[in-house]
Structures are given as C-alpha cells and as structure tokens.
Amino acid sequence: MKRFGLLPRIILAIALGIILGSFSLEWLIKLFATFNGLFGNFLGFAIPLIIIGFIAPGIGSMGKGAGKLLGITTGFAYASTVAAGLLAFFTATFLYPILLKNQSFKEFENPEEALLSPFFQVDMPPVMGVMTALLISFTLGLGLAAIKGNTLQNAMNDFRDVIEKLIEKVIIPLLPVHIFGIFANMTQGGQVGAIMSVFAKVFVMIIALHIIFLLVQYTAAGSVTKTNPIKLIKSMMPAYFTALGTQSSASTIPVTLKQVKMLGAREKIADFSVPLLATIHLSGSTITLVSCAIAVMMLQGQTASFAEILPFVLMLGVTMIAAPGVPGGAVMAALGLLESMLGFNETMIALMIALYLAQDSFGTACNVTGDGALTLLSDKASGKDKKAQPQAVKAS
C-alpha cells in the first residue's frame, strides 16, 4: 500500500466519491458525512498543536546557525516565498474571472445547504485559538533563538516529532477517505461538475506559474553569475524530477546538493544553504496555496482583496518554515491561517486540501529547483571569492 502514493489515492478517492454520489445512496453518504464531521473536528483540534509543534522549534533552531549566511539565506527564502504568493494573487485576480467565467458561483454561497448532514457529531474543541497558538509559537521560537540552553529546544523538537507522526500516520492516511466523503456528498448535491472544472483550470494555471517563477529566480541568479538561466535550470532538472517522484524536499537534498555544486556554488555555501532552504523555502507550495485559496473562495461566491491576501501571504512566508517534511505538509501547516485569516470553514478546507494535494509533487519540485537559484544568490551576497571555484555551467 505504501507504493500506492498519496496523489493516486487522492485521485481515486475523488473518482469513487463522484461515482458513489451519483447513485444517491443517502444512508451511505450520511455515514461518510459522519466520518467527515469527526475527522474535520479532529483536524480543528490538531491545528493549534501543528502550529506550535512546527513554528516554535523551527524559529528556535534557525537562531543558532551561521550568523550572516543564515540571515542572507533566510532573507532570500522569505522574499522568494512572499513574491511567489503575490504573483499567484495577481495572476488569479486577473485570470480567474476569464478562466472561471462560466461557473455558477451562486450555488456555492451556502454549500452546506445541499449537503447531507451526519448521523451524529462529537465536539472536539481545540485547546486554544489559532492566533493564540501563533503568538505562543513566535514567543517560544524567538526565546529559544535568544537563549543558550537546549533543554526546551530539545523538548520542542520532540513535540514536533510527535506532531509529525500524527500528520504522517493518522491525518495524511485518512485524508483520501475524508475527500472521498466530501466529493460523494457534493456529487449528490449537484455541485461536483463545477468543482471539477475549477480543478482542471486551476491546475494548469499553477503549473504555468511554477515555470514562470523558476524563470524569474534563475534570471536573477544568472545575472549575478553571468550564466545563461536556461542552462542553469537544465542543470537542476535531476533535482526537479526527483522531487516530483518523492514529493519531499528533504528526500531530494542529496540530488539538489550535487546539482547546485555543478552550478558553481562554493561547497561550504551549498552544504549549508541547500538543507536550510529545503526546510524554509516553499515558493512553489505558496503559489499553489494562494491560487487554490482564491479559487475556493470564488466557489463560495467570495472575493479576495489585496488588503486581505497581503497579510495572509506575509504570514504564510513565516508559516512555511513550519511545514513538516511529509506529502501535504505545507497545506497542513497553512490550515490555521486559512481558518483564522480567510475565514475558511470545514467544507472550504476540504476543498482546499483536495486541490492542493492534487499537485503537491509539482509544488515540491518547484521548491527544490528554486533552491539552486537562491543558493547562487546567497553565495554571491555572502562575498564570494574568486579562487577555487568549481566549474560552473558555461554561459552561452
């Protein structure tokens, strides 16, 4: 079953959900609606724990790095992530009214009215609100970065490992069942046709944005290294396709490191920056999150203004540091922001997860490939010497 990856399971869940929903077996759909209610409530309970479990130790460990290089690399990663989010927002704002102009948004203004209700519900109140969890995370993270002791840092690292196991062993395996139930319910409610149309159009736009943003990143890197950006990108293709298959930035680090050194980055810079960027640089995932979030909001008959999206993107740049190294980790880390800043409800979150996971591997591949460009920029900004430089990709 392990060889049957998350993406095929998600696709199969969507297909089976549509098939079941088309038969309108009310009792069976209500059974899965009951599971969805329980799972959704548990997810709500887990969100504050996920926020604390990843943001606090993530920020804390960053404060104990290599000083100047840490600051430079982190600055490039944050700027890249925010720029990716803004690119996605402006593109979606411009294109969605054209791409999705034939969609009937009004039927989604109150989607719950068309859905079957569960047999029963169990309240699972979270231990704290999302904003409280964020404040605690920043307080603990910055404090851990400032003090010399490791006791609390080690405890937070252990807590992070517990939460990562919760995501990897419980939440991620159950997501296909959750998505199956959502699509079965939406199909019987007559909503799935428009949603699948949105899936296809959004997917194409996201892949195009990934390519455009990689071109921007490597144009910047090529300009400072006086190298053809297309040749730089070609050299990073082994890392891109490795990430496409593994859906994990961490698993791709050895390949990324090898290819980045071939681009001409100093070994000591690459050895530090590539593992760090695999953790904190998620520009491809941010493009996907913002694009999918705006699409889901439009399905609900809502619009996203720049004033709403800018704080969300700025916070997303910080929250991506917390994204666990498992498939779907970025959307799990972002659920709290979607709920607290954009007002996502359970149905919107389920749609968001389904949209995101359908192309998670492409977002990861974009993240990893972009790490090469940022490493070259960090190498240049940190005062690159001219001696002992590895043979770089030759400019044409």
Side-chain angles (χ1 to χ4, degrees):
M1 183 69 178
K2 248 184 171 180
R3 293 185 178 274
F4 195 52
L6 180 61
L7 177 58
R9 279 181 279 160
I10 294 296
I11 294 172
L12 181 62
I14 291 172
L16 292 177
I18 293 172
I19 293 171
L20 175 63
S22 64
F23 286 104
S24 298
L25 297 174
E26 187 170 318
W27 68 270
L28 188 55
I29 295 173
K30 284 175 72 72
L31 181 65
F32 281 101
T34 303
F35 169 82
N36 288 342
L38 295 173
F39 183 83
N41 286 342
F42 178 76
L43 204 55
F45 164 80
I47 285 172
L49 302 180
I50 292 172
I51 291 171
I52 294 176
F54 288 103
I55 293 182
I59 295 175
S61 61
M62 283 177 60
K64 300 171 184 176
K68 178 184 176 182
L69 183 57
L70 173 66
I72 291 170
T73 307
T74 302
F76 278 130
Y78 183 76
S80 175
T81 301
V82 171
L86 294 178
L87 172 65
F89 167 72
F90 288 119
T91 304
T93 302
F94 177 74
L95 289 182
Y96 281 176
I98 301 171
L99 292 176
L100 311 179
K101 64 180 179 180
N102 294 324
Q103 300 296 157
S104 178
F105 297 136
K106 290 187 177 179
E107 64 180 294
F108 297 98
E109 286 180 0
N110 295 293
E112 289 82 3
E113 293 179 2
L115 302 181
L116 294 175
S117 58
F119 287 118
F120 63 89
Q121 292 181 321
V122 177
D123 289 334
M124 303 179 194
V127 294
M128 65 187 74
V130 169
M131 190 53 63
T132 302
L134 284 168
L135 290 172
I136 289 175
S137 299
F138 292 142
T139 302
L140 286 175
L142 294 172
L144 288 170
I147 64 175
K148 295 181 180 179
N150 291 317
T151 303
L152 184 56
Q153 178 71 49
N154 292 335
M156 293 305 301
N157 289 343
D158 288 342
F159 183 60
R160 178 192 60 201
D161 292 342
V162 170
I163 298 301
E164 190 168 64
K165 288 294 182 184
L166 174 68
I167 293 173
E168 186 178 359
K169 302 297 184 183
V170 179
I171 294 178
I172 294 295
L174 289 178
L175 276 178
V177 183
H178 184 51
I179 291 170
F180 168 82
I182 288 289
F183 273 82
N185 211 342
M186 287 185 169
T187 300
Q188 68 80 32
Q191 300 175 345
V192 78
I195 292 174
M196 293 307 295
S197 174
V198 169
F199 264 50
K201 293 169 183 174
V202 169
F203 186 90
V204 171
M205 190 194 82
I206 287 171
I207 301 302
L209 286 179
H210 286 167
I211 295 170
I212 291 169
F213 199 71
L214 285 174
L215 287 172
V216 171
Q217 289 175 321
Y218 278 93
T219 297
S223 66
V224 301
T225 59
K226 297 180 173 56
T227 308
N228 187 323
I230 301 300
K231 291 198 171 185
L232 292 175
I233 293 175
K234 284 182 179 179
S235 185
M236 289 299 295
M237 283 298 99
Y240 182 93
F241 287 108
T242 302
L244 207 61
T246 63
Q247 289 184 263
S248 169
S249 297
S251 299
T252 314
I253 285 175
V255 180
T256 309
L257 199 55
K258 177 184 175 183
Q259 299 308 122
V260 167
K261 289 177 181 177
M262 287 178 61
L263 300 184
R266 282 177 292 174
E267 187 169 338
K268 65 178 182 180
I269 302 294
D271 288 344
F272 177 84
S273 295
V274 169
L276 176 64
L277 289 169
T279 306
I280 67 173
H281 176 235
L282 286 88
S283 56
S285 298
T286 301
I287 286 173
T288 306
L289 285 166
V290 174
S291 300
C292 292
I294 296 174
V296 170
M297 292 176 75
M298 292 186 73
L299 281 177
Q300 308 297 311
Q302 302 174 13
T303 56
S305 68
F306 181 72
E308 291 175 306
I309 291 295
L310 180 59
F312 172 72
V313 170
L314 293 175
M315 284 296 295
L316 202 57
V318 176
T319 305
M320 285 300 94
I321 296 171
V326 296
V331 72
M332 290 294 107
L335 291 183
L337 297 182
L338 291 168
E339 182 183 355
S340 63
M341 301 187 75
L342 298 183
F344 273 41
N345 57 32
E346 182 184 333
T347 302
M348 295 171 78
I349 285 177
L351 281 173
M352 182 73 189
I353 292 172
L355 267 171
Y356 180 88
L357 291 180
Q359 66 74 66
D360 184 31
S361 57
F362 290 93
T364 302
C366 180
N367 297 338
V368 165
T369 308
D371 291 348
L374 296 197
T375 299
L376 292 176
L377 292 172
S378 297
D379 192 5
K380 184 70 174 178
S382 62
K384 184 171 182 178
D385 53 55
K386 296 182 179 179
K387 61 182 179 179
Q389 181 180 343
Q391 187 66 36
V393 178
K394 294 182 180 179
S396 61

